[in-house]
Amino acid sequence: MRMPIFSLLALVVAAALFAAFLAIGNEYLFFAGYVVVQYVVIATAWNILGGYCGYVNFGTGAFFAVGAYATVALHKLQNYSENNFPPAVAEVIAVIFPLPIPVLILIGGLLSGIIGLLMGYLTLRLRGVFFAIATLALAVVLQTLVVNWDYVGGSRGATILRPPTTSLFGMDYIHYLFALMLLLAAISIIIARGIERSTFGYGLASIRDDELAAEAAGVPTLRLKLACTAISGALMGMAGAPFPYYVGYVEPASTFSLIYAVNAIAMPMVGGTAGWLGPLLGSLTLGSLQQIASVTISSEASLLLIGVILVAFVVLAPRGMLGWFDRLRPKRKGMVATGGGH
Amino acid sequence: MTAFLEIDAITKKFGGFTALDNITISVGRGERVGLIGPNGSGKSTVVNCLSGVFSPELGAIRFRDQDLRGLRAFERTRLGIARSFQLPKPFRSLTVAENVRVPLLYAGRGRSKAIDEQCHDLLTRVALHDKADWLPAALTQVELRKLELIRAVATEPELLLADEAMAGLSGSEVTEIVAFLLQLSDDGVTIIMIEHIMSAVMSFSNRLVVLVSGKKVADGDPQVVVKDPIVESAYLGQ
Ligand SMILES: Nc1ncnc2c1ncn2[C@@H]1O[C@H](COP(=O)(O)OP(=O)(O)OP(=O)(O)O)[C@@H](O)[C@H]1O
Ligand SMILES: [Mg+2]
């Protein structure tokens, strides 16, 4: 399928889903759906670095939190400026603020993209486990910074009051947030799929398979890896930017939660890391299961659930859910991988 | 005008171990150089220094009058220095055709033809076109060697470093690869062939360089070099 058609289709599906949710009209569905769709973005973003390029990022929580805390910081700026900035500046800020959420998403994306770039510079010479540990360390460092940053509430956290409706057609706020996240999910998937079929995507695949051979084939490995961490990090930050408005109360422990890192890894692994479809499948199934489990049993149970499912997949179906269908495909790669004879 | 490739007194150490000791080799355009030596004598290290995997502590490497110092491996590939790996390093998750597509996308210069067509042409040259959709895991040893070579050729090199492209192959397969390299040479590519199979080296090279324990012990006409008593005792006579 051509890229423009695919993109259009992704946007249409997102719009249809939103319409369906509106038609059902259950408010809880929007709350739960937001989290699931947020994971579609996170899993897709993780897979751009983890699945396409072969670098396992354990720091998803940090990128997500950078987006969330960028929003908190900007949200607080309005009040803060009234008391601390010269009146002229405060007036300007009062006119511009509060910033619309799409703008906050872009800012969050930009910041976490820059963090991704920095992390790349510091860690991309490491491979395998060492890279994963370095990303985890980065998350710890960032969390410590936020815990000690009073302006955004430090370890106490910050409360964000959101208006009940938006200025956009008087739309219900949670509907608005859900719609934005859906749009972001569609955009992430379009980006992921675009990368797969591009020169950049082939470069990433060559890096994942063998970095020395990639360089020998003329692939500027460092440059591509940096671009990859920046894109992946930016999308994670974008997923985090609306989060304060969704929960209303942000504190470091839950925002930097390891649950994001675990899900970001588990969802693509369960779905399949080879392409955009795997993270989508994985996040929809695991994300929904977790929502159901946390309501019917408890949120601890939902954590346990991912753990068990992840282990089961790693052992029994290392190529994820998409691996099940390889066998059904008539020819080519699936057969080739098992010997290739006609 | 200096030589096409000048390896000028390079020394490469790994910790306290000197893998290459003051090596000087100058290669003219179009030459077919055989680089031989016992296991661990430093042949692959020469390739790695040329292709930018290692940087020598001393000395300089100039390619077409350009000092290569500080150039990363991919930049050297784009300058026209291609290498194959002693142990084939295919991109395992990519098909045979995609393995060739990567260097075409990143280092190829021929934009006249569609990339699919270029892939097909290259694979045809090593009789892999029927297996374009296969994964490397399904290839035989000789096919992997061919893929390794054709992926290097896809970068349109002026200088090809073939590191034991024939190790582990049968007699007829060796002949096939030598014929392929000779054809490349006829097309104007300068080639440094590293090889243990003496029949292949002797039928291919018009010049022979011998390394022993990181030192160059002989350099010249292959027929003369193999009769050199130092070479015989240090290497061939072992
Ligand atoms: N990355 C490295 N770190 C440490 N020592 C190395 C490294 N690469 C090579 N060596 C050492 O340098 C010496 C030369 O190795 P090199 O691979 O160049 O030999 P070679 O002539 O290619 O041998 P072979 O015929 O077995 O391929 C060997 O003693 C090897 O152990
Ligand atoms: Mg070697």
Side-chain angles (χ1 to χ4, degrees):
Chain A
M1 206 187 306
R2 306 274 303 273
M3 246 351 254
I5 300 175
F6 180 85
S7 308
L8 197 67
L9 214 65
L11 292 171
V12 167
V13 169
L17 206 63
F18 184 64
F21 271 46
L22 276 182
I24 296 169
N26 181 338
E27 287 309 295
Y28 177 72
L29 215 51
F30 282 94
F31 270 98
Y34 177 90
V35 176
V36 175
V37 177
Q38 168 188 290
Y39 273 125
V40 173
V41 179
I42 289 177
T44 303
W46 183 90
N47 201 49
I48 289 175
L49 181 62
Y52 297 176
C53 191
Y55 277 79
V56 172
N57 177 3
F58 262 99
T60 304
F63 291 101
F64 180 84
V66 166
Y69 270 99
T71 294
V72 173
L74 288 167
H75 182 87
K76 297 224 154 200
L77 194 60
Q78 197 172 356
N79 270 332
Y80 185 81
S81 67
E82 278 168 21
N83 305 322
N84 297 283
F85 290 174
V89 178
E91 256 171 58
V92 173
I93 286 177
V95 173
I96 306 173
F97 282 59
L99 293 172
I101 296 185
V103 174
L104 291 171
I105 291 179
L106 288 179
I107 294 173
L110 190 69
L111 283 176
S112 50
I114 291 170
I115 299 274
L117 209 57
L118 288 178
M119 181 187 82
Y121 261 115
L122 294 175
T123 58
L124 280 172
R125 283 163 218 282
L126 307 171
R127 269 228 77 125
V129 174
F130 300 103
F131 176 79
I133 292 172
T135 58
L136 197 56
L138 173 93
V140 172
V141 169
L142 280 178
Q143 183 172 357
T144 310
L145 285 178
V146 168
V147 163
N148 290 291
W149 190 18
D150 269 339
Y151 171 72
V152 292
S155 56
R156 283 172 289 109
T159 306
I160 306 287
L161 288 178
R162 69 165 130 88
T165 57
T166 59
S167 48
L168 204 69
F169 325 115
M171 206 176 178
D172 190 285
Y173 214 87
I174 188 69
H175 294 180
Y176 176 55
L177 288 176
F178 180 69
L180 281 177
M181 199 45 83
L182 264 178
L183 181 64
L184 198 54
I187 291 172
S188 309
I189 287 171
I190 292 166
I191 290 174
R193 145 106 188 200
I195 289 174
E196 266 171 50
R197 306 297 170 92
S198 68
T199 298
F200 181 46
Y202 277 113
L204 295 181
S206 71
I207 291 171
R208 172 186 64 207
D209 286 348
D210 195 308
E211 265 178 65
L212 278 182
E215 282 268 332
V219 178
T221 57
L222 186 62
R223 209 182 294 160
L224 293 201
K225 287 189 289 184
L226 287 174
C228 195
T229 45
I231 292 170
S232 174
L235 287 175
M236 288 173 180
M238 290 171 122
F243 183 69
Y245 287 99
Y246 171 78
V247 284
Y249 168 68
V250 179
E251 48 92 28
S254 62
T255 313
F256 280 88
S257 171
L258 203 59
I259 187 95
Y260 293 111
V262 172
N263 269 324
I265 295 169
M267 288 166 172
M269 300 271 257
V270 164
T273 57
W276 61 274
L277 191 56
L280 176 62
L281 279 180
S283 50
L284 289 180
T285 47
L286 273 192
S288 308
L289 273 178
Q290 279 173 69
Q291 286 304 307
I292 294 166
S294 61
V295 173
T296 54
I297 319 171
S298 71
S299 50
E300 286 76 28
S302 79
L303 239 183
L304 184 69
L305 190 74
I306 334 167
V308 172
I309 292 177
L310 181 58
V311 170
F313 266 86
V314 167
V315 175
L316 300 174
R319 304 185 44 180
M321 289 155 82
L322 288 180
W324 297 338
F325 301 104
D326 273 358
R327 226 167 299 162
L328 300 182
R329 269 195 299 187
K331 52 180 178 139
R332 288 194 156 184
K333 289 188 183 180
M335 186 189 69
V336 168
T338 57
H342 285 260
Chain B
M1 183 69 193
T2 45
F4 177 64
L5 171 73
E6 279 190 285
I7 301 171
D8 186 4
I10 61 169
T11 293
K12 174 70 203 166
K13 294 183 178 163
F14 295 110
F17 174 75
T18 306
L20 293 179
D21 187 1
N22 199 27
I23 298 288
T24 296
I25 305 169
S26 102
V27 177
R29 189 185 281 275
E31 272 197 284
R32 297 192 300 268
V33 180
L35 179 58
I36 63 170
N39 288 115
S41 55
K43 305 180 296 293
S44 294
T45 305
V46 169
V47 172
N48 284 326
C49 287
L50 284 172
S51 60
V53 177
F54 298 149
S55 42
E57 280 80 27
L58 295 173
I61 300 170
R62 282 180 294 275
F63 177 64
R64 286 167 30 205
D65 284 330
Q66 180 176 356
D67 193 331
L68 296 185
R69 189 188 316 267
L71 289 186
R72 297 173 56 87
F74 82 91
E75 292 169 312
R76 299 186 190 202
T77 302
R78 290 175 179 185
L79 268 186
I81 303 176
R83 57 95 49 101
S84 69
F85 289 90
Q86 182 167 351
L87 291 173
K89 287 178 176 290
F91 303 128
R92 297 196 174 277
S93 68
L94 300 182
T95 64
V96 167
E98 288 169 331
N99 263 270
V100 178
R101 180 179 275 265
V102 171
L104 283 174
L105 287 170
Y106 279 95
R109 275 159 282 192
R111 282 282 168 272
S112 50
K113 272 195 224 167
I115 211 141
D116 288 325
E117 207 177 324
Q118 291 183 59
C119 272
H120 182 81
D121 291 351
L122 284 164
L123 292 178
T124 306
R125 283 168 71 179
V126 286
L128 279 176
H129 51 288
D130 287 341
K131 301 186 172 176
D133 288 339
W134 289 34
L135 289 176
L139 297 184
T140 63
Q141 185 64 23
V142 64
E143 285 166 344
L144 278 176
R145 296 276 175 194
K146 286 176 176 175
L147 179 60
E148 186 70 26
L149 276 178
I150 203 65
R151 200 176 56 186
V153 171
T155 66
E156 293 173 45
E158 292 184 46
L159 171 65
L160 174 67
L161 314 165
D163 195 351
E164 300 200 23
M166 292 164 255
L169 301 188
S170 73
S172 64
E173 291 166 344
V174 167
T175 314
E176 208 181 327
I177 302 272
V178 170
F180 174 73
L181 291 174
L182 282 171
Q183 180 60 49
L184 268 186
S185 171
D186 282 348
D187 295 343
V189 180
T190 307
I191 300 176
I192 299 181
M193 178 207 266
I194 293 168
E195 204 41 75
H196 282 297
I197 303 168
M198 281 313 286
S199 62
V201 180
M202 295 308 283
S203 62
F204 174 80
S205 318
N206 54 19
R207 175 171 159 208
L208 204 54
V209 176
V210 186
L211 293 185
V212 175
S213 308
K215 291 194 174 62
K216 185 169 100 169
V217 298
D219 183 347
D221 185 304
Q223 299 302 334
V224 179
V225 165
V226 287
K227 295 199 182 72
D228 185 327
I230 302 172
V231 175
E232 281 191 341
S233 68
Y235 176 46
L236 302 166
Q238 69 185 331

